[in-house]
């Protein structure tokens, strides 16, 4: 049963190491590469299952099951080789005689293996069993393994040639990794040819996928995480001002409601802002001037509440969520902000109305309760500023 134990161990390690790679979404510029590598990994899993199943059946000396297991072993073996060639050609992204040769060799060995196993039913030239149920490899088995060595040799040469032409250091390293993994398979196929009852092919597959994962797939996953983070950041940013948008605000609001419900949040403030006079700017000077007015207002808010996330939730509406230092200094910050707005109003500069609402632990049920108070104070402040402006005009 030692033979089967190697296959089982290889399968478990394979799943642990490559689980994330097999779950990588097929998106980005290398969809075909990810799809073909996933198929290769699945085929390797199937081979491990066939390999340890053969070991169990052989230990049981159940001849019909051993025969089926042997056929499954060789079929799954050449399927991994075929899918490997397809992955390598797509990954290296080079059109040459080598990649065409590699593809055709992969197809031919798959066809040849299936035909040879069918013929073996009538003429045991691939493998057979003695009267004592001992497994005996036939001459054709060695031919198949020799062809596989040739295929991996072509893959090694192909990848080294591509690596030589690569200008990018990281890409060159990835291509060299493909070559090294192919060389590893050549070594373990040779060992498998000499030691038929040892699971060297499984060990070779395991080392190959580990090498690819360590030096290629891990980089691909990190790049994908960076791309996803950048896309997420872009999706949550307001295009005009650069602050967080309404989508980010809704997510933050939902998160705060959960923290309130669980009792993890008992101190925070909400400041609702609304620009004064934006319509007049748009009507008088045009929407480009209106956009500049919005950006100027946003800079004032961000400078005043520099430790708090700022959200643009509408055309001229902004919200700040106060926690930590800004929450502790909320009264002085609002006082300073309001004084600045009065000064701006006298100078004919950007004016923003703001209203602060503070969470009351034990009284407020959710974020909305705080927002409503802040919104009311903002409108009251807007009316106050309007009255001051009319008083100045009078």
């Amino acid at each position: 049963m030692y033979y089967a134990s190697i296959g089982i161990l290889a399968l478990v390690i394979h799943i642990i190491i490559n689980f994330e790679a097999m779950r990588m979404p097929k998106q980005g510029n290398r969809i075909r590469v990810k799809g073909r590598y996933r198929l290769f990994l699945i085929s390797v899993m199937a081979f491990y299952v066939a390999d340890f199943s053969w070991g169990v059946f052989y230990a049981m000396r159940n001849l019909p099951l051993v025969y089926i297991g042997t056929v499954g072993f060789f079929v799954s073996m050449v399927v991994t080789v075929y899918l490997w060639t397809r992955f390598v050609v797509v990954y290296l992204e080079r059109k040459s005689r080598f990649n065409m040769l590699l593809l055709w060799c992969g197809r031919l060995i798959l066809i040849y293996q299936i035909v040879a196993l069918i013929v073996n039913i009538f003429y045991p030239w691939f493998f057979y069993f003695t009267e004592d149920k001992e497994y005996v490899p036939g001459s054709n088995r060695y031919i198949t393994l020799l062809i596989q060595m040739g295929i991996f040799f072509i893959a090694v040469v192909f990848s080294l040639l591509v690596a030589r032409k690569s200008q990018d250091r990281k890409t060159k390293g990835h291509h060299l990794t493909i070559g090294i993994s192919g060389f590893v398979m050549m070594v373990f196929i040779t060992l498998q040819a000499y030691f038929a009852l040892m699971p060297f092919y499984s060990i070779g597959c395991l080392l190959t996928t580990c090498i690819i994962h360590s030096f290629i797939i891990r980089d691909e996953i990190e790049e994908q995480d960076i791309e996803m983070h950048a896309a997420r950041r872009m999706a949550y940013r307001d295009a005009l001002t650069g602050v967080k948008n309404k989508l980010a605000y809704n997510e933050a609001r939902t998160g705060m409601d959960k923290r309130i419900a669980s009792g993890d949040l008992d101190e925070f403030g909400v400041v609702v802002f609304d620009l004064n006079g934006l319509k007049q700017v748009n009507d008088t000077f045009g929407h480009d001037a209106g956009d500049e007015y919005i950006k100027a207002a946003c800079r004032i808010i961000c400078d005043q509440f520099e430790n708090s996330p700022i959200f643009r939730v509408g055309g001229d509406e902004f919200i700040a969520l106060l926690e930590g230092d800004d929450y502790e200094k909320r009264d002085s910050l609002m006082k300073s902000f309001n004084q600045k707005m009065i000064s701006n109003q006298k100078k004919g500069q950007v004016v923003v109305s703001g209203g602060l609402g503070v969470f009351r632990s034990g009284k407020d049920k959710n974020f909305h309760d705080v927002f409503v108070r802040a919104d009311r104070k903002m409108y009251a402040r807007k009316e106050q500023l309007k009255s001051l402006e009319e008083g100045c005009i009078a």
Side-chain angles (χ1 to χ4, degrees):
M1 292 293 287
Y2 74 93
Y3 186 102
S5 63
I6 298 296
I8 294 172
L9 181 62
L11 177 62
V12 172
I13 295 174
H14 178 83
I15 293 172
I16 293 172
I17 292 177
N18 297 292
F19 181 75
E20 191 172 3
M22 288 189 285
R23 290 177 62 250
M24 285 175 67
K26 296 181 183 180
Q27 59 186 23
N29 297 326
R30 312 202 73 182
I31 296 175
R32 291 179 66 202
V33 174
K34 294 174 183 176
R36 291 195 176 182
Y37 187 66
R38 184 182 284 110
L39 286 175
F40 168 68
L41 291 176
I42 293 171
S43 71
V44 171
M45 288 177 61
F47 172 77
Y48 290 145
V49 172
D51 195 28
F52 76 69
S53 296
W54 185 90
V56 172
F57 298 152
Y58 192 68
M60 293 167 57
R61 289 296 194 269
N62 187 316
L63 198 56
L65 290 178
V66 176
Y67 192 93
I68 294 171
T70 307
V71 171
F73 174 90
F74 284 109
V75 169
S76 59
M77 174 189 284
V78 293
V79 168
T80 62
V81 175
Y82 169 63
L83 294 176
W84 163 260
T85 61
R86 295 180 73 228
F87 159 67
V88 170
V89 168
V90 173
Y91 186 82
L92 297 179
E93 295 180 332
R94 292 290 189 281
K95 291 185 178 180
S96 68
R97 293 179 181 178
F98 274 106
N99 70 355
M100 291 304 297
L101 179 62
L102 193 60
L103 281 175
W104 276 107
C105 286
R107 293 166 184 165
L108 289 173
I109 194 172
L110 180 60
I111 296 170
Y112 174 77
Q113 184 78 88
I114 293 172
V115 172
L117 289 170
I118 293 173
V119 173
N120 194 75
I121 299 173
F122 309 99
Y123 181 77
W125 64 334
F126 207 92
F127 67 88
Y128 63 92
F129 295 91
T130 65
E131 292 181 358
D132 295 329
K133 300 180 181 180
E134 294 290 334
Y135 171 76
V136 180
S139 59
N140 194 264
R141 170 185 176 274
Y142 297 100
I143 294 174
T144 298
L145 293 176
L146 185 63
I147 294 172
Q148 289 185 46
M149 288 182 64
I151 291 173
F152 282 106
F153 177 76
I154 294 170
V156 171
V157 174
F158 180 35
S159 59
L160 292 179
L161 287 174
V162 174
R164 185 180 179 183
K165 296 178 181 179
S166 298
Q167 300 298 320
D168 181 69
R169 184 177 179 181
K170 187 175 182 179
T171 302
K172 185 188 288 288
H174 287 179
H175 294 165
L176 288 174
T177 299
I178 295 293
I180 292 170
S181 62
F183 179 76
V184 169
M185 283 305 301
M186 288 176 59
V187 171
F188 280 89
I189 289 172
T190 302
L191 292 172
Q192 188 68 67
Y194 280 100
F195 304 98
L197 297 180
M198 292 292 292
F200 282 116
Y201 199 90
S202 284
I203 297 172
C205 286
L206 181 60
L207 289 176
T208 295
T209 53
C210 285
I211 291 170
I212 294 174
H213 182 273
S214 297
F215 297 100
I216 297 179
I217 302 302
R218 189 169 59 184
D219 288 345
E220 296 277 355
I221 292 172
E222 288 176 357
E223 288 177 6
Q224 178 179 291
D225 288 342
I226 292 171
E227 290 175 1
M228 289 179 65
H229 179 71
R232 179 182 174 85
R233 185 172 56 189
M234 187 176 295
Y236 281 72
R237 289 289 173 184
D238 176 59
L240 179 64
T241 62
V243 298
K244 297 181 179 183
N245 60 15
K246 190 170 183 177
L247 179 62
Y249 167 70
N250 288 335
E251 188 171 290
R253 179 174 179 166
T254 301
M256 295 182 84
D257 274 337
K258 290 180 179 178
R259 291 167 63 192
I260 291 169
S262 64
D264 294 332
L265 182 62
D266 55 9
E267 285 188 349
F268 73 90
V270 179
V271 185
V272 177
F273 303 95
D274 191 86
L275 277 61
N276 291 24
L278 178 62
K279 185 178 185 303
Q280 184 179 355
V281 173
N282 283 329
D283 293 343
T284 306
F285 303 104
H287 287 282
D288 287 343
D291 287 345
E292 292 302 318
Y293 192 85
I294 292 170
K295 288 193 284 186
C298 183
R299 284 193 294 271
I300 293 171
I301 295 170
C302 291
D303 289 343
Q304 185 70 18
F305 300 91
E306 58 183 355
N307 298 315
S308 300
I310 309 299
F311 305 83
R312 185 186 177 202
V313 296
D316 60 350
E317 299 172 8
F318 292 85
I319 290 177
L321 302 181
L322 309 187
E323 291 187 76
D325 290 342
D326 278 4
Y327 175 78
E328 296 298 329
K329 301 174 183 177
R330 60 190 181 278
D331 292 331
S332 61
L333 287 172
M334 285 302 300
K335 182 179 180 180
S336 173
F337 181 80
N338 289 334
Q339 288 174 346
K340 181 175 180 60
M341 291 305 100
I342 292 174
S343 176
N344 281 8
Q345 185 168 262
K346 291 178 180 179
K347 297 175 183 178
Q349 297 175 349
V350 176
V351 179
V352 182
S353 300
L356 169 66
V358 177
F359 178 70
R360 300 175 301 186
S361 182
K363 294 182 179 180
D364 293 327
K365 296 179 180 179
N366 49 41
F367 180 93
H368 181 71
D369 292 343
V370 186
F371 171 83
V372 169
R373 287 198 303 277
D375 196 46
R376 287 173 182 167
K377 289 183 179 180
M378 181 274 293
Y379 278 110
R381 178 61 179 170
K382 185 179 280 287
E383 291 299 322
Q384 186 182 26
L385 288 170
K386 186 177 178 181
S387 298
L388 288 173
E389 182 179 17
E390 291 173 350
C392 290
I393 295 173

